[in-house]
Amino acid sequence: MDIWFLGTGAGRPTKERNVTSIALRLPDPDCALWLFDAGEATQHQFMRTPLKLNKLEALFVTHLHGDHTFGIPGLLSTRSYVGGNGPMKVFGPPGIRELVDTSLRLSGTRLDYEIAYTEIEEGIIFEDERFIVEARALEHRLPCFGYRITERDRPGKLQVEKLKELGVPEGPLYGSLKKGQDVSLPDGTVVRAAEVAGTPIKGRIVTILGDTKPCDNTVILGRDADLLVHEATFADGQQEKAHLYGHSTTVEAAEAARAAGARQLVMTHFSTRFTAEQIPALEQEAQEIFPESTAAYDLYHTSIACRQ
């Protein structure tokens, strides 16, 4: 599982940072992409990475401010041109359907695929056989959400030699056992999946928060996360201004990560007041509270390893 920070600035783009967008690449077998927010020029940022837009399957919008949404119409249009013709899931606060549909309608944009909208409330908003996505409200100037992506635990590697000893023929039965399903052999013998698989692989947790000032839900969503993405619009000592605009400081992001018991913190959404030369100092502020803190920059990429 990999995460790419396509834009890490707040409010408006600069020469150094584009506005917010984060791509999460899911693991094998499909390596599908999920995108979190799409500020203006997000599709341009895609072209600077090895990511393929036709692999994009879902868009999760934290809130409707323009620096998180103005890139959506162009992104969806380009997806059609590059062969992304499968259905597209779009999750976001009430109003996301109107925002997207109105933009596409007034611009005469036609898509070669259907959009399935989910205007979210707090709770589990998506789940399948591999992932669960939970949303909770944050504290910002517009309705805003954070997302907790939980990968389901997976069965361990099959013990092939043991399967051969038990007389399990290769083929569909191996697949059933790999999925954790017990199987019956032609002679009536029942082979238990738990007895022929290695240690289960613990699922990973990735938490991606929208804009927010400190609140309880940042810690709830980030509990035991392998990776917590938290905004850090302002520096330490600027709490009053940060809270006035519904934002957090570097130290507050680090305090949330520490309280949540997260394994790693990546900060993003930095104010345009900060130059590239000032970012290491901001990173250091957070590291003094939570050592595993990183200040993201545009196109920053990291992998989320499987838990041991």
Side-chain angles (χ1 to χ4, degrees):
M1 190 183 297
D2 301 279
I3 192 167
W4 294 78
F5 289 78
L6 304 179
T8 57
R12 58 183 175 83
T14 68
K15 292 180 179 180
E16 297 171 340
R17 295 180 184 270
N18 198 48
V19 284
T20 298
S21 186
I22 299 169
L24 181 66
R25 183 164 58 188
L26 306 184
D28 291 336
D30 55 348
C31 298
L33 289 178
W34 287 0
L35 193 67
F36 294 81
D37 289 336
E40 61 186 278
T42 290
Q43 62 176 316
H44 292 251
Q45 297 293 84
F46 254 96
M47 291 186 286
R48 301 174 63 196
T49 76
L51 303 176
K52 304 299 182 184
L53 193 52
N54 61 1
K55 300 290 286 185
L56 181 62
E57 292 186 354
L59 170 64
F60 297 83
V61 178
T62 62
H63 65 296
L64 301 185
H65 275 148
D67 59 321
H68 296 254
T69 60
F70 285 169
I72 295 176
L75 182 85
L76 297 180
S77 176
T78 298
R79 183 177 182 266
S80 283
Y81 286 101
V82 296
N85 297 325
M88 177 75 176
K89 295 182 282 288
V90 175
F91 301 86
I96 186 61
R97 177 195 290 268
E98 181 182 2
L99 186 152
V100 177
D101 280 354
T102 299
S103 297
L104 297 176
R105 176 174 55 83
L106 293 179
S107 63
T109 303
R110 298 181 181 275
L111 304 180
D112 294 331
Y113 55 87
E114 296 295 323
I115 298 178
Y117 292 100
T118 301
E119 296 198 336
I120 64 175
E121 298 177 346
E122 287 193 311
I124 293 175
I125 61 168
F126 172 81
E127 59 181 317
D128 61 12
E129 68 279 2
R130 299 176 68 198
F131 293 94
I132 302 170
V133 182
E134 177 187 2
R136 284 183 177 266
L138 304 175
E139 295 190 17
H140 192 48
R141 290 174 294 153
L142 287 182
C144 186
F145 290 88
Y147 296 100
R148 177 182 175 91
I149 304 95
T150 302
E151 181 184 31
R152 297 185 190 272
D153 295 347
R154 291 166 288 159
K157 186 176 180 180
L158 289 180
Q159 301 176 38
V160 176
E161 292 302 319
K162 190 170 185 179
L163 292 174
K164 291 179 179 178
E165 291 175 7
L166 294 171
V168 180
E170 295 186 27
L173 294 184
Y174 273 42
S176 296
L177 290 166
K178 181 66 176 175
K179 294 176 182 177
Q181 302 167 356
D182 299 340
V183 302
S184 296
L185 303 182
D187 64 3
T189 302
V190 176
V191 178
R192 307 292 182 187
E195 298 173 355
V196 296
T199 304
I201 301 170
K202 183 70 174 175
R204 291 158 284 192
I205 299 171
V206 178
T207 298
I208 299 175
L209 304 177
D211 293 1
T212 187
K213 63 182 181 181
C215 64
D216 291 343
N217 279 344
T218 62
V219 176
I220 293 172
L221 287 170
R223 183 76 63 197
D224 297 324
D226 293 275
L227 177 67
L228 170 63
V229 178
H230 197 303
E231 69 127 287
T233 310
F234 289 88
D236 188 30
Q238 298 177 319
Q239 289 88 337
E240 183 175 353
K241 180 169 289 188
H243 299 175
L244 178 64
Y245 292 102
H247 290 298
S248 298
T249 68
T250 53
V251 166
E252 288 168 337
E255 289 172 340
R258 183 176 63 181
R263 297 175 69 185
Q264 182 181 2
L265 168 68
V266 178
M267 298 178 293
T268 187
H269 202 267
F270 295 101
S271 169
T272 56
R273 73 185 65 219
F274 300 119
T275 65
E277 291 73 23
Q278 293 173 304
I279 296 299
L282 300 181
E283 186 176 70
Q284 181 62 35
E285 288 178 352
Q287 289 174 345
E288 291 176 1
I289 304 296
F290 186 77
E292 297 302 318
S293 298
T294 300
Y297 50 84
D298 279 20
L299 309 185
Y300 172 75
H301 159 251
T302 189
S303 296
I304 303 102
C306 292
R307 296 190 177 195
Q308 301 299 320

